[in-house]
Amino acid sequence: MKQVIYLASLLFVLFATACTQQKNYIEKEIVFTEKLTAEQKLKLAAYLVPTKQQYEWQQLELTAFIHFGINTFTGREWGDGSESPELFNPTDFNAEQWVVALKEGGFKMVILTAKHHDGFCLWPTKTTEHSVAHSPWRDGAGDVVRELKNAADKHGMKFGVYLSPWDRNAPSYGDSPKYNQLFVDQLHELLSNYGEVHEVWFDGANAEGPNGKKQEYDWKAFYHVIDSLQPNAVKAIMGDDVRWVGNESGLGRETEWSVTPLRADIHEDAVDENNRLEISATAKDLGSRKLIEKAKSIYWYPSEVDVSIRPGWFYHPEQDAQVKTLEHLVDIYYQSVGMNSVLLLNIPPDTRGLIHEVDVARLKEFGQYIDKTFADNKMSDTHSYWKAENGDYKEYKIKDGEVINTVLLQEDIKKGQRVEVFKVEGLINGSWTKLAEGTTIGYKRLLRFDDVSPEKIRVTITETRFSANINEIGAYYAAPFTDEGSLVELNHIEGDWAEVIEINPLTVDMKGEEIEVTGFTYNPDAASEMAFKYRFLLSNDGKNWSEPSNSQEFGNIKNNPVAQFIHFEEVLKARYFKLEVLEGTEGGKPTIEAKHIGILTH
């Protein structure tokens, strides 16, 4: 339940209740009066807490994204909506295989891309013919949403849906009232017919419709549907329960506040207020004292870290050798769950309708590694609940002869997030040595350091907003990793050209003679503006050109700047290629260097 609190006196500030279940704590939102001082605002911030739904979501720690749909069968990241439903035909679909693999990885919830930007629906919707009902899969009687929900229920896994607001297939897109009604109808179907849904995930992708007008989403209507049909679901990213961490690389903030003045886009004045405070989802500072002092309101708005186990979000066979290593996944775990966030890891099924064997194996070893690491607390003392003031510290004995390299700290966020600065020391050979230090703790903080064998560890709360409530401390040993490779073995030519004929548009004589071409790659330089929309042409003589692919954009490259693979439907012979940039990721027309382009052969 959301509370909006107006306060008239310091006494009321300190002991405000707002009809919550916990006396003196305020759920989700506080609106400040103009008379409040900076210190009064800070004390109020210490009493802001999550809703029941937000707290249960935070406890999941590991959640999984499933990107599956038409793009799985076209090899694209963003479809354009013109794809035939007949392309969707997984040969060995098994949603239970997905859930079992995710459970072995330690994941507690699965979120399905029920509809991506291409508009293809993975359930038999009444709103469009662009769905599984018009595909050959299950003779048109299939329902991916139903089968995944049944598998999730069978294995005790929570379930969520992603429904893309941007729909490149819907003729009504751009006719705002008409499309908004279609979207509401799709939400009704998903949230009425499949039992309990625990998370509804919207991104902010938006564009012009066929009528040339930009679609204006009715977020208020969308969220009314969610609150009416699934009141226990958290609303993520474009919602006000869970926010995007600001990147798709699996990186949380060193200082991650769940208490923040950042307003969700469902607030009518969100853009103006966020601009006034100079904050956004990507900002480094989202909760400092300075920000709270300037804020008109604050929110419990925790972060979700989304990243894919592969370079792309949909399955591409050429990325089978690019599944993230165990070490990389564990690093992501420490930088997401270990930095007061929830990890949303994407695992894309292949054209069979199965999670690939490489991904399955990686998930299993990841789950085993995390379980083994945190099953054995090396402290011989049992931690008891600790209410800490500025400068307070506690010491804990380590079991004789044990080696540690990781410390876990947790605040009781049902009593707010308050720690601003802390440090961890180890008693080694009679002297206290600093092992780690940090700023925020929140729900969970993990700190890594070199292997040590201390007699004790000492945790000091250096600075806190009011008194901190520490409910968990642990010391652990995380084993080192074996060498693992993640090289891509592809038969392709990259940058070894006979001649670069022209820079803009980039025109290249590939090998001085005709070669067989099956596609091309673009490996962007993320430090500068990248190509988004383009034309790629082939020629035998450098005069007459043909366009071998309907694909004219590198989907999602702005948020996920990884190597792009474009495959042609047939093998072609050519000596020259030309790449013309039509639009960059920032709206310009950047120049692409020849070294960024590769040609796929057999």
Side-chain angles (χ1 to χ4, degrees):
M1 180 176 67
K2 181 193 294 186
Q3 277 83 26
V4 181
I5 309 302
Y6 297 89
L7 302 157
S9 68
L10 179 57
L11 182 63
F12 191 55
V13 166
L14 291 174
F15 300 104
T17 56
C19 300
T20 62
Q21 294 178 353
Q22 293 175 298
K23 187 178 180 181
N24 299 335
Y25 295 100
I26 307 161
E27 288 184 350
K28 198 171 185 178
E29 177 180 350
I30 300 173
V31 176
F32 296 134
T33 64
E34 294 182 359
K35 296 180 180 180
L36 291 176
T37 66
E39 186 63 22
Q40 289 169 344
K41 287 183 176 182
L42 195 68
K43 287 181 178 178
L44 269 177
Y47 283 91
L48 188 62
V49 298
T51 63
K52 178 177 180 289
Q53 293 92 331
Q54 287 176 313
Y55 182 71
E56 290 176 351
W57 171 85
Q58 188 91 52
Q59 289 180 300
L60 297 176
E61 298 190 3
L62 293 173
T63 60
F65 227 158
I66 295 287
H67 275 63
F68 186 61
I70 282 289
N71 293 339
T72 308
F73 299 89
T74 63
R76 301 177 68 179
E77 285 287 290
W78 282 2
D80 60 20
S82 66
E83 303 86 356
S84 170
E86 293 187 1
L87 292 172
F88 185 84
N89 194 17
T91 57
D92 194 20
F93 182 86
N94 189 339
E96 189 169 1
Q97 185 254 4
W98 304 359
V99 172
V100 170
L102 296 175
K103 290 278 287 188
E104 288 189 330
F107 291 83
K108 305 296 193 304
M109 177 162 64
V110 58
I111 300 175
L112 174 68
T113 56
K115 182 186 77 169
H116 206 255
H117 308 326
D118 50 74
F120 184 78
C121 297
L122 295 182
W123 77 101
T125 176
K126 296 178 181 179
T127 64
T128 176
E129 294 185 356
H130 200 51
S131 80
V132 290
H134 295 268
S135 77
W137 178 64
R138 303 273 198 262
D139 294 324
D143 187 338
V144 176
V145 179
R146 174 71 63 199
E147 293 198 33
L148 181 55
K149 181 61 164 68
N150 288 346
D153 288 348
K154 178 179 178 179
H155 292 275
M157 179 172 283
K158 292 183 181 295
F159 178 75
V161 292
Y162 162 96
L163 188 68
S164 172
W166 185 24
D167 190 321
R168 307 178 83 175
N169 175 269
S172 61
Y173 190 86
D175 181 345
S176 294
K178 191 172 182 180
Y179 175 74
N180 285 335
Q181 184 58 54
L182 179 145
F183 194 80
V184 163
D185 291 343
Q186 291 181 342
L187 271 178
H188 264 284
E189 291 179 347
L190 287 172
L191 303 184
S192 299
N193 299 326
Y194 296 94
E196 187 170 11
V197 175
H198 300 91
E199 182 167 344
V200 180
W201 208 100
F202 296 147
D203 57 27
N206 197 342
E208 294 178 352
N211 60 4
K213 295 182 179 180
K214 189 172 183 178
Q215 174 70 30
E216 296 181 6
Y217 301 129
D218 188 350
W219 295 113
K220 186 176 181 180
F222 302 163
Y223 288 116
H224 176 72
V225 174
I226 299 171
D227 291 338
S228 298
L229 299 178
Q230 297 288 344
N232 293 322
V234 293
K235 302 180 287 291
I237 311 310
M238 294 303 291
D240 63 351
D241 292 315
V242 175
R243 65 178 161 83
W244 182 45
V245 76
N247 64 76
E248 294 183 357
S249 303
L251 302 175
R253 289 175 181 79
E254 182 68 28
T255 300
E256 186 62 77
W257 284 103
S258 296
V259 177
T260 172
L262 182 72
R263 292 194 179 192
D265 283 9
I266 64 170
H267 292 279
E268 293 181 1
D269 59 347
V271 173
D272 290 342
E273 181 61 10
N274 292 340
N275 286 341
R276 182 184 74 84
L277 295 174
E278 298 181 317
I279 55 176
S280 67
T282 61
K284 184 178 180 180
D285 174 17
L286 287 179
S288 67
R289 292 183 178 220
K290 183 179 179 181
L291 266 180
I292 290 175
E293 180 181 351
K294 295 190 297 182
K296 296 178 181 178
S297 54
I298 54 174
Y299 308 89
W300 189 275
Y301 199 22
S303 71
E304 181 180 70
V305 175
D306 60 324
V307 63
S308 184
I309 198 170
R310 291 164 171 255
W313 287 83
F314 285 90
Y315 176 81
H316 309 290
E318 64 270 13
Q319 294 178 357
D320 287 348
Q322 289 183 290
V323 174
K324 287 180 172 56
T325 63
L326 173 60
E327 183 173 7
H328 193 174
L329 286 181
V330 172
D331 283 342
I332 288 172
Y333 177 84
Y334 274 86
Q335 293 178 93
S336 55
V337 177
M339 287 185 174
N340 189 36
S341 298
V342 168
L343 173 60
L344 178 61
L345 181 68
N346 178 66
I347 303 96
D350 59 24
T351 55
R352 298 172 299 172
L354 300 174
I355 294 178
H356 192 274
E357 291 80 359
V358 175
D359 306 61
V360 170
R362 191 57 39 80
L363 288 171
K364 184 174 182 178
E365 62 182 356
F366 171 71
Q368 291 174 340
Y369 184 91
I370 297 301
D371 284 347
K372 183 177 180 180
T373 298
F374 294 100
D376 184 11
N377 192 340
K378 305 298 184 181
M379 296 189 334
S380 58
D381 292 345
T382 301
H383 169 71
S384 57
Y385 202 95
W386 176 25
K387 201 169 188 66
E389 309 291 341
N390 283 338
D392 284 357
Y393 66 85
K394 276 194 178 283
E395 298 177 5
Y396 302 92
K397 292 181 180 179
I398 301 298
K399 297 173 185 177
D400 290 344
E402 291 285 9
V403 176
I404 64 170
N405 55 20
T406 300
V407 164
L408 175 151
L409 302 170
Q410 288 188 274
E411 288 184 75
D412 180 1
I413 61 171
K414 289 186 291 186
K415 296 181 179 178
Q417 183 188 3
R418 301 182 177 186
V419 175
E420 294 177 305
V421 182
F422 68 92
K423 66 179 178 179
V424 179
E425 300 166 287
L427 183 61
I428 303 172
N429 297 324
S431 299
W432 287 104
T433 301
K434 185 171 70 176
L435 302 178
E437 60 185 349
T439 50
T440 48
I441 294 177
Y443 173 75
K444 180 172 285 189
R445 187 64 189 269
L446 297 172
L447 301 105
R448 293 187 287 185
F449 41 85
D450 292 338
D451 294 359
V452 291
S453 296
E455 301 169 39
K456 297 180 180 180
I457 61 168
R458 180 166 68 189
V459 178
T460 303
I461 304 302
T462 309
E463 294 180 29
T464 180
R465 299 172 180 178
F466 217 50
S467 54
N469 300 286
I470 309 299
N471 67 347
E472 189 66 40
I473 294 175
Y476 303 91
Y477 175 72
F481 301 94
T482 58
D483 292 337
E484 294 176 285
S486 58
L487 300 177
V488 185
E489 295 182 4
L490 288 174
N491 188 9
H492 77 294
I493 307 166
E494 187 172 321
D496 185 19
W497 313 119
E499 180 185 5
V500 177
I501 299 172
E502 190 176 348
I503 300 298
N504 194 8
L506 177 63
T507 308
V508 172
D509 182 348
M510 292 184 281
K511 299 300 288 182
E513 59 184 7
E514 286 188 358
I515 61 172
E516 291 186 336
V517 181
T518 62
F520 75 97
T521 65
Y522 170 45
N523 197 9
D525 180 1
S528 57
E529 185 173 10
M530 299 167 286
F532 172 45
K533 295 184 178 180
Y534 66 88
R535 291 188 70 205
F536 185 86
L537 307 171
L538 290 174
S539 174
N540 294 316
D541 57 11
K543 298 177 182 179
N544 300 298
W545 298 88
S546 63
E547 195 164 2
S549 172
N550 291 328
S551 175
Q552 290 189 326
E553 66 183 26
F554 300 118
N556 199 34
I557 195 170
K558 183 174 181 179
N559 291 325
N560 192 33
V562 299
Q564 306 283 313
F565 290 77
I566 306 299
H567 298 274
F568 305 151
E569 293 183 357
E570 56 183 339
V571 179
L572 301 172
K573 288 186 177 181
R575 174 174 172 175
Y576 304 90
F577 77 78
K578 181 186 294 186
L579 180 67
E580 179 184 1
V581 178
L582 303 177
E583 182 183 328
T585 51
E586 304 299 331
K589 291 187 178 181
T591 299
I592 301 301
E593 297 183 46
K595 67 181 181 180
H596 295 144
I597 302 300
I599 296 297
L600 297 172
T601 58
H602 289 301

